[in-house]
Amino acid sequence: MSERELRDGREDGLMPLKSLDLNSVTSCAGLVRAMASTAFGGRRLGQALDVCLAMARDSECKVVMTLSGAMTVAKQGRIICEMIDHGLVHAIIATGALMAHGLTESIGLTHYAIDPDTDDKELFLKGYNRVYDTLELEANLNEVCEVVADVLANYAPDEGVWSSARFCRAVGEELDRLDQGPGILRSAYRRGVPVFIPAFTDSEMGLDFSTWAMKGFLKKRGGAEGITPEELFTVVPPYNPFLDLQEYARFIAGAETLGIFTVGGGVPRNWAQQVGPYFDITADRLEIDLPGPRFKYGVRLCPEPVYWGGLSGCTYSEGVSWGKFIAPEDGGKYAEVLADATIVWPILMKAVFEELDAEK
């Protein structure tokens, strides 16, 4: 006789699933709620809605948003602005390229669709830079360079030294002054949200920053005649990335509870998450008392599976082993949606905004 039991899942507290009934759905929030009772990516998206709402409703929670990938070229920038404007984001860590491409949109410029099978050599000759199925015009980036130069010429950082956060604040202030439309850095400036770009030199803005410094050097020198590349590339702008590290650490130290919302992986994700270990090793090596900050909430939108190695911190479970996150059994709430952010991010945030607006 078989020893196998034929139990009903309800006896063990299992969640029964429900077939998705589109006829009963009347809102985006309702759709995502219904998807939470299905399976696979749909259920994960429903879980992400719950975590986002938990972060938003926790008045003590400071939410860090990390961004990588071509999200502004992919026209997701307004979602970021709305998240900032709704008070759902309190600090941003991003790639420089993402912010640079977002800046083109902020000053009224345009990206264009393109067939990815188009001859890239031909695109280069026309001044078109391809990002998957979208074009960033070189002419756009030249205008970004002008904005960067104006900011560097007219804004003075503390102690005469720039960091990415100081620079992004100044750009946001300039965008607000120009008033040419919405933009991530403008919204961040208006809401007092710091924006950090850890790999600042890996971006058009970083290159513009460097060429601005070299241009100043040549002006003082009396021109470029006779200069060698070896001499030119010794010029270094007044920039210190450790100012960013310490400003971010101060931000984290001032938070009662921490949440993180991640699109993609890359340097922004890991730079944001390493703050717990940074506090731990500082306390240990300097033999002083410091808090041990851990993220309590987390939502990640990224299509990469773990074994590709592109998550820069991998799963939230792995992050627990590094002292970056609170374990779920201790109250941590996390959702990882393995999908293209341009598909699930708009749906998720529309659902979040609907539910939060209904509570007002």
Side-chain angles (χ1 to χ4, degrees):
M1 183 175 179
S2 173
E3 295 181 0
R4 188 180 187 190
E5 295 184 56
L6 300 178
R7 296 172 66 89
D8 184 298
R10 292 178 177 81
E11 298 175 45
D12 296 312
L14 301 182
M15 182 185 78
L17 300 184
K18 301 175 184 177
S19 186
L20 186 59
D21 179 8
L22 293 178
N23 290 320
S24 67
V25 172
T26 59
S27 67
C28 196
L31 175 61
V32 178
R33 285 265 174 235
M35 292 167 69
S37 295
T38 63
F40 315 137
R43 191 195 304 167
R44 286 175 178 251
L45 190 61
Q47 293 167 347
L49 173 59
D50 285 334
V51 178
C52 283
L53 290 172
M55 285 194 283
R57 291 165 178 158
D58 187 338
S59 61
E60 302 297 326
C61 182
K62 298 298 183 184
V63 180
V64 178
M65 172 185 278
T66 80
L67 301 164
S68 64
M71 290 297 104
T72 45
V73 166
K75 315 315 293 179
Q76 307 299 299
R78 289 291 290 271
I79 297 177
I80 301 168
C81 292
E82 288 190 54
M83 292 178 73
I84 296 170
D85 295 339
H86 273 76
L88 302 180
V89 176
H90 306 98
I92 294 175
I93 296 104
T95 64
L98 189 149
M99 285 298 163
H101 296 310
L103 187 52
T104 67
E105 190 174 49
S106 302
I107 56 177
L109 304 177
T110 305
H111 298 117
Y112 293 90
I114 191 67
D115 183 342
D117 291 329
T118 303
D119 187 322
D120 288 298
K121 185 175 180 180
E122 179 184 343
L123 293 178
F124 171 78
L125 294 174
K126 291 181 177 180
Y128 295 157
N129 304 303
R130 184 170 66 86
V131 184
Y132 305 104
D133 60 355
T134 306
L135 294 179
E136 175 69 272
L137 279 58
E138 189 65 23
N140 288 354
L141 297 178
N142 286 340
E143 295 216 26
V144 168
C145 180
E146 294 299 317
V147 173
V148 170
D150 287 344
V151 168
L152 292 173
N154 296 304
Y155 292 80
D158 293 341
E159 300 92 36
V161 181
W162 290 99
S163 66
S164 71
R166 291 176 175 182
F167 178 69
C168 287
R169 270 191 290 271
V171 173
E173 184 175 351
E174 178 68 3
L175 292 176
D176 202 42
R177 185 189 70 80
L178 294 172
D179 193 21
Q180 294 177 318
I184 300 167
L185 294 179
R186 184 182 185 184
S187 289
Y189 165 72
R190 291 171 70 93
R191 295 285 300 199
V193 172
V195 178
F196 302 95
I197 304 175
F200 185 67
T201 57
D202 183 25
S203 71
E204 185 72 25
M205 288 194 300
L207 301 185
D208 292 341
F209 201 112
S210 186
T211 56
W212 168 82
M214 290 188 283
K215 186 175 182 179
F217 169 77
L218 293 178
K219 185 176 181 180
K220 290 181 181 179
R221 185 180 181 274
E225 185 177 353
I227 194 168
T228 65
E230 289 79 8
E231 183 182 4
L232 182 63
F233 291 119
T234 60
V235 179
V236 178
Y239 182 92
N240 187 344
F242 284 96
L243 292 170
D244 285 326
L245 180 65
Q246 302 298 61
E247 181 178 340
Y248 181 58
R250 293 194 299 275
F251 166 83
I252 294 296
E256 291 293 324
T257 308
L258 291 170
I260 188 167
F261 185 98
T262 291
V263 177
V267 170
R269 173 185 165 100
N270 195 64
W271 194 85
Q273 293 179 177
Q274 72 177 358
V275 69
Y278 181 40
F279 272 68
D280 290 349
I281 64 174
T282 299
D284 181 61
R285 294 170 187 174
L286 301 185
E287 298 182 345
I288 59 176
D289 290 329
L290 285 175
R294 304 288 188 266
F295 288 99
K296 179 179 180 180
Y297 308 101
V299 171
R300 173 170 61 83
L301 312 178
C302 181
E304 289 193 4
V306 174
Y307 53 78
W308 283 353
L311 298 181
S312 300
C314 295
T315 63
Y316 290 127
S317 177
E318 181 179 305
V320 171
S321 77
W322 283 86
K324 299 174 180 178
F325 297 93
I326 296 173
E329 58 267 26
D330 296 325
K333 302 179 186 298
Y334 311 108
E336 300 176 87
V337 185
L338 303 179
D340 180 347
T342 63
I343 298 171
V344 296
W345 194 7
I347 298 171
L348 173 62
M349 295 320 302
K350 182 66 174 177
V352 170
F353 297 150
E354 285 180 355
E355 295 230 348
L356 293 178
D357 290 342
E359 295 175 2
K360 293 180 180 178

